[in-house]
């Protein structure tokens, strides 16, 4: 939101600025007072200052002071014609624009509207960044995370040591698995787990996910891109037989044309929606999992290294599970962003409310639970989720 200040003592300019439609202009003849106005009015993100030209040396002092002491200013010099030297001096000290001193109310209003329409690109990026929606973890939650993770690491260290030894004895590779995950505010970090799969597991993910993804639609859709309604030869043959093609596209259908494809807009939108809905990948009876891996997964021992992520501040004890990059990149639509404007966590609402039921869960159900937690989380809710986690950590389904 933009505030408007007139800095000068010209009665004619003041009179015109009083009639700016939809604007309440503040008037002052002191640059010190103008600076105080900018700092005092927290309701405005930025200010436009109509600066009446006066004695050059005094103007330079005033403009330089405003630039040094106020953020988010757009200064318009109200002046008669300037010579090249004057123009360079005023631009150097911080003027953004100039208007004729006799400009009408209409001209002044159009200039102001032009600035308002381009607020995000005309003002200092330091101010613009403050307007970006970001989640900040509350002090009580961060303090609990530090205390909980430290105590848990000390108490569970024997189990973690034994697990690391067992993993190394069964298969080659490191005992700890590190992957890039996306957490709060779409921040990417190194997510720690005990390795429960063979070392070439990720290479086989694409092939396996097509066959057994728990979150994929049960009825497989034919998503081939339409490169033409029908081949020319096929169309002639159909016409000769007097048969109408079911693949013919009506004249009213909007077509999207790429370098190597042509597809109906409705088909493209449908395919994009299916990709978003199937963002979460989970495979039943995964053959990539080792014998030790099945045990530590069943009892959630593979998650214990995330206590170090919590201690570091990458995530919280309770929150929405951080997602792999290939899953998170599909959840950037407006309906999904809210799940990332919340704490990332070791356990969360969907684990205790859905996984404990022993049934499968759709991607939409999981996203709704993640968003619900972000909107309603509290110390009491976190404690309830932790208590339920104790009874839900032994998984009935082998996933």
């Amino acid at each position: 939101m933009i505030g408007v200040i007139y800095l000068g003592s010209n009665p004619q300019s003041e009179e015109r600025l009083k009639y700016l439609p939809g604007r309440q202009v503040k008037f002052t003849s002191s640059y010190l007072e103008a600076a105080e106005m900018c700092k005092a009015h927290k309701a405005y993100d930025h200010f436009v200052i109509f600066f009446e030209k006066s004695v050059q040396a005094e103007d330079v002092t005033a403009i330089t002071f405003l630039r040094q002491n106020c953020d988010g200013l757009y200064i318009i010099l109200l002046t008669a014609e300037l010579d090249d030297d004057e123009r360079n001096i005023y631009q150097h000290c911080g003027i953004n624009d100039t208007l004729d001193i006799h400009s009408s109310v209409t001209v002044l209003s159009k200039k102001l509207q032009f600035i308002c329409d381009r607020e995000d690109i005309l003002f200092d990026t330091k101010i613009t960044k403050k307007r970006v929606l970001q989640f900040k973890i509350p002090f009580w939650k961060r303090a609990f995370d530090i205390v909980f993770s430290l105590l848990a690491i000390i108490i569970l260290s024997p189990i973690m040591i034994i697990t690391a030894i067992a993993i190394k004895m069964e298969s080659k590779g490191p005992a700890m698995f590190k992957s890039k995950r996306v957490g709060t505010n779409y921040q990417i970090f190194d997510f720690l787990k005990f390795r429960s799969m063979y070392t070439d597991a990720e290479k086989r993910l694409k092939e396996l996910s097509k066959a057994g993804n728990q979150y994929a639609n049960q009825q497989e859709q034919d998503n081939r891109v339409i490169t033409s309604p029908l081949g020319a030869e096929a169309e002639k043959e159909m016409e000769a037989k007097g048969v109408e093609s079911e693949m013919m596209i009506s004249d009213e259908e909007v077509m999207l044309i790429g370098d190597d494809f042509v597809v109906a807009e409705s088909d493209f939108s449908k395919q994009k929606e299916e990709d978003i809905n199937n963002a979460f990948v989970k495979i039943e009876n995964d053959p990539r999992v080792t014998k030790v891996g099945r045990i530590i997964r069943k009892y959630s021992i593979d998650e214990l290294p995330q206590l170090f992520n919590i201690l570091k501040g990458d995530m919280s004890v309770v929150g929405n599970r951080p997602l792999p990059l290939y899953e998170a990149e599909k959840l950037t639509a407006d309906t999904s962003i809210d799940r990332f404007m919340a704490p990332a966590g070791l356990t969360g609402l969907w684990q205790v409310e859905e996984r404990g039921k022993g049934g499968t869960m759709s991607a939409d159900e999981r996203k709704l639970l993640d968003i619900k937690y972000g909107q309603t989380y509290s110390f009491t809710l976190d404690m309830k989720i932790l208590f339920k986690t104790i009874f839900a950590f032994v998984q009935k389904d082998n996933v």
Side-chain angles (χ1 to χ4, degrees), residues 20 25 58 63 79-80 82 90 92 132 139 161 202 238 252 269 284 288 300 307 320 327 354 359 375 378:
L20 280 179
V25 183
E58 295 178 359
I63 296 167
T79 179
L82 298 173
Y90 277 101
H92 182 73
V132 177
F139 174 79
I161 293 172
E202 289 196 353
M238 297 282 279
E252 296 179 358
S269 299
E284 295 187 22
R288 301 172 299 167
S300 299
L307 292 169
N320 297 330
E327 294 182 9
E354 293 294 335
Q375 294 172 344
S378 63

Side-chain angles (χ1 to χ4, degrees), residues 27 61 76 79 85 137 149 171 180 274 281 290 324 353 381:
F27 298 91
T61 300
I76 300 174
T79 179
D85 290 337
I137 189 168
S149 58
S171 60
K180 296 293 183 183
E274 289 176 355
V281 176
T290 64
E353 288 199 6
L381 179 59

Side-chain angles (χ1 to χ4, degrees), residues 25 31 48 135 172 199 231 253-254 266 299 307 340 345 376 387:
V25 183
Y31 66 87
V48 171
F135 171 81
K172 295 181 180 180
T199 53
E253 179 67 273
V254 177
S266 58
Y299 296 99
L307 292 169
F340 296 97
T376 62
F387 181 76

Side-chain angles (χ1 to χ4, degrees), residues 114-270:
F114 176 87
I115 296 169
C116 292
D117 291 342
R118 293 156 181 80
E119 183 176 0
D120 289 340
I121 61 176
L122 291 178
F123 288 89
D124 193 334
T125 55
K126 291 184 295 183
I127 302 300
T128 303
K129 287 180 180 178
K130 293 180 182 179
R131 303 176 63 200
V132 177
L133 179 62
Q134 285 194 334
F135 171 81
K136 292 185 179 180
I137 189 168
F139 174 79
W140 65 263
K141 192 170 181 64
R142 181 60 187 145
F144 177 80
D145 290 341
I146 294 173
V147 174
F148 182 94
S149 58
L150 275 174
L151 291 175
I153 289 170
I154 295 171
I155 295 171
L156 298 173
S157 57
I159 296 177
M160 289 193 280
I161 293 172
I162 294 171
T163 301
I165 294 173
I167 293 170
K168 294 287 289 183
M169 290 178 63
E170 182 185 14
S171 60
K172 295 181 180 180
M176 201 81 74
F177 178 74
K178 183 187 297 184
S179 66
K180 296 293 183 183
R181 292 290 180 103
V182 181
T184 304
N185 298 319
Y186 284 96
Q187 293 295 314
I188 300 173
F189 65 95
D190 290 326
F191 183 81
L192 302 177
K193 293 184 74 171
F194 279 124
R195 181 171 59 83
S196 60
M197 295 184 177
Y198 295 100
T199 53
D200 63 346
E202 289 196 353
K203 295 179 181 179
R204 303 169 61 190
L205 175 61
K206 187 173 182 179
E207 178 182 351
L208 287 169
S209 62
K210 288 181 180 179
N213 184 1
Q214 177 178 317
Y215 294 127
N217 292 335
Q218 293 180 355
Q219 295 183 350
E220 191 172 319
Q221 300 290 330
D222 184 4
N223 292 326
R224 289 175 297 175
V225 174
I226 301 173
T227 55
S228 66
L230 273 181
E233 297 298 328
E235 286 184 8
K236 290 180 181 179
E237 184 178 349
M238 297 282 279
E239 289 175 1
K241 294 180 180 179
V243 179
E244 292 186 1
S245 169
E246 293 181 357
M247 295 181 65
M248 292 296 290
I249 299 175
S250 68
D251 292 337
E252 296 179 358
E253 179 67 273
V254 177
M255 304 302 295
L256 304 179
I257 302 174
D259 292 337
D260 56 357
F261 70 88
V262 178
V263 61
E265 185 179 33
S266 58
D267 292 335
F268 178 81
S269 299
K270 182 179 180 181

Side-chain angles (χ1 to χ4, degrees), residues 345-388:
L346 177 66
T347 185
L349 194 58
W350 75 269
Q351 284 96 330
V352 298
E353 288 199 6
E354 293 294 335
R355 292 176 73 176
K357 295 178 181 179
T360 58
M361 174 180 51
S362 71
D364 282 338
E365 288 175 323
R366 175 173 172 177
K367 283 184 285 189
L368 287 174
L369 284 173
D370 288 344
I371 292 172
K372 177 182 176 182
Y373 175 77
Q375 294 172 344
T376 62
Y377 78 92
S378 63
F379 181 78
T380 302
L381 179 59
D382 281 10
M383 295 304 102
K384 288 180 179 178
I385 291 174
L386 275 177
F387 181 76
K388 289 182 179 180

